Amino acid sequence: MTAYKDFAMLVRSLRRLRMFDVDVYLHVDRKTRFANSEMEILKGLCRTVQTCYDIPWGGHEHIQAIVGLMRDAVLSGEPYGYVHTLSGQDIVIKPLSSFTEYWDGTIYMKSIPRHDFPENVEARIAHRNLLHSWQKRRRVWQTADLLLQKIQALPGLARSQLLSQTPLHKGEVWLSMPFAICRRIVESSEAHALLHELRTTYIPEEFFFQSVIMNWEYASRVNQRNLRYTDWHSGRGRPAFLDDSDFGPILNSGDVFARKVSTEKSDSVVTRLEAEYGKS
């Protein structure tokens, strides 16, 4: 799990996961200003709490943080069955043991191949994010990056593919995979080389797991449903923060997790989920 704000909802989500016997490996964004006492509470709810990276939106550091947590899970020696990538704005709907038919080796991950990329995504491949290390200094980065994009639009300067020629696939970073595949990602020099190569790609978190898994022999095991109830279509946001109007659809979705939730907007629907499937 990766988190950066809303301590109250984060704790609520963690306690619910622990109630359902889920071990949590947590990364808290380095720029987050949780009090020392709050960090101690988080440590009491998690197997690991890391604060290694200051993560800009969609940044390369997000993938580094997730892979670092996966490494901790592998090194723990625990015989886990599945790994689920979550944010601090996710809530588990009901016990994972209620979904035994899901945990059969299937990878639950949204992924589209390169030939289906829309034009705006192709632009993220063609134009390198050469100042990615400056992305945290948003105003300076935006100004300089705009100039560099215009330069890269000149004939002969655009990138048609990664130097490694890895076929790219794209999707959300939120997925569920068998632990054996998590272990292979952690131990694979090929995966780590791709992670490094993606550092100059815009929003690399949308390419890494998909481009690794879909180029391995596991591609046939991918289910495009990622088991996260998410509201992309109500017009309240993309995605929307969930509220009481989502309660029925969440229960009927067959999904394992729901996102996004916040203390301000989602208190009531989370309370109703707690009443329906146990209070955290």
Side-chain angles (χ1 to χ4, degrees):
M1 176 182 281
T2 52
Y4 70 101
K5 63 180 181 180
D6 199 347
F7 177 78
M9 186 57 73
L10 174 59
V11 168
R12 208 165 169 181
S13 177
L14 289 171
R15 285 177 174 161
R16 191 163 176 79
L17 287 163
R18 293 301 303 130
M19 181 177 69
F20 295 151
D21 297 320
V22 177
D23 282 351
V24 180
Y25 294 76
L26 175 67
H27 184 278
V28 176
D29 195 309
R30 194 164 60 194
K31 64 180 171 289
T32 298
R33 299 304 181 195
F34 291 154
N36 290 339
S37 59
E38 292 173 328
M39 292 298 294
E40 289 303 313
I41 291 171
L42 297 180
K43 290 175 183 178
L45 293 168
C46 301
R47 289 288 300 258
T48 292
V49 177
Q50 296 184 5
T51 56
C52 301
Y53 301 99
D54 178 346
I55 302 174
W57 181 84
H60 184 256
E61 294 86 348
H62 193 201
I63 296 296
Q64 290 178 296
I66 294 171
V67 172
L69 296 173
M70 291 167 60
R71 183 180 300 109
D72 279 358
V74 169
L75 292 175
S76 74
E78 293 289 344
Y80 296 123
Y82 263 74
V83 168
H84 312 276
T85 60
L86 301 171
S87 82
Q89 296 177 314
D90 295 3
I91 195 83
V92 61
I93 296 170
K94 59 181 180 178
L96 274 66
S97 59
S98 304
F99 301 97
T100 54
E101 70 276 15
Y102 289 172
W103 318 130
D104 60 357
T106 299
I107 303 160
Y108 298 94
M109 177 182 75
K110 293 185 178 180
S111 180
I112 60 173
R114 176 79 182 268
H115 59 75
D116 287 335
F117 285 5
E119 187 176 331
N120 66 320
V121 175
E122 279 294 341
R124 286 159 49 190
I125 307 301
H127 301 152
R128 302 168 185 83
N129 185 4
L130 297 172
L131 298 177
H132 60 93
S133 61
W134 285 67
Q135 200 165 339
K136 305 173 194 71
R137 306 171 83 170
R138 192 160 183 82
R139 288 188 179 180
V140 174
W141 171 77
Q142 283 181 326
T143 302
D145 182 67
L146 181 60
L147 175 61
L148 284 172
Q149 285 194 42
K150 290 180 178 180
I151 293 172
Q152 291 182 76
L154 295 173
L157 294 182
R159 176 176 64 175
S160 62
Q161 59 186 349
L162 299 183
L163 189 62
S164 65
Q165 300 186 13
T166 301
L168 290 173
H169 298 257
K170 175 189 175 295
E172 295 178 25
V173 72
W174 315 118
L175 62 138
S176 297
M177 73 179 91
F179 188 62
I181 298 175
C182 164
R183 178 184 296 277
R184 181 166 173 187
I185 290 171
V186 167
E187 297 176 349
S188 167
S189 59
E190 179 185 9
H192 285 276
L194 179 62
L195 176 60
H196 180 72
E197 190 172 17
L198 284 171
R199 74 194 187 284
T200 58
T201 300
Y202 292 95
I203 321 181
E205 68 172 36
E206 294 186 346
F207 298 101
F208 176 68
F209 289 112
Q210 285 76 10
S211 298
V212 169
I213 292 170
M214 298 304 292
N215 286 299
W216 284 348
E217 66 272 20
Y218 310 115
S220 62
R221 291 162 55 180
V222 170
N223 184 326
Q224 292 286 338
R225 177 185 174 195
N226 71 354
L227 304 182
R228 276 79 174 157
Y229 174 86
T230 312
D231 177 3
W232 290 99
H233 305 296
S234 68
R236 305 193 317 258
R238 291 190 56 80
F241 281 102
L242 305 181
D243 61 22
D244 264 344
S245 67
D246 294 291
F247 181 68
I250 288 171
L251 295 188
N252 294 326
S253 68
D255 289 323
V256 181
F257 307 100
R259 67 182 315 271
K260 301 170 18 179
V261 294
S262 73
T263 299
E264 179 184 357
K265 298 181 179 179
S266 311
D267 177 73
S268 179
V269 68
V270 171
T271 298
R272 292 176 71 183
L273 284 173
E274 291 170 342
E276 189 79 15
Y277 294 112
K279 184 171 177 60
S280 53

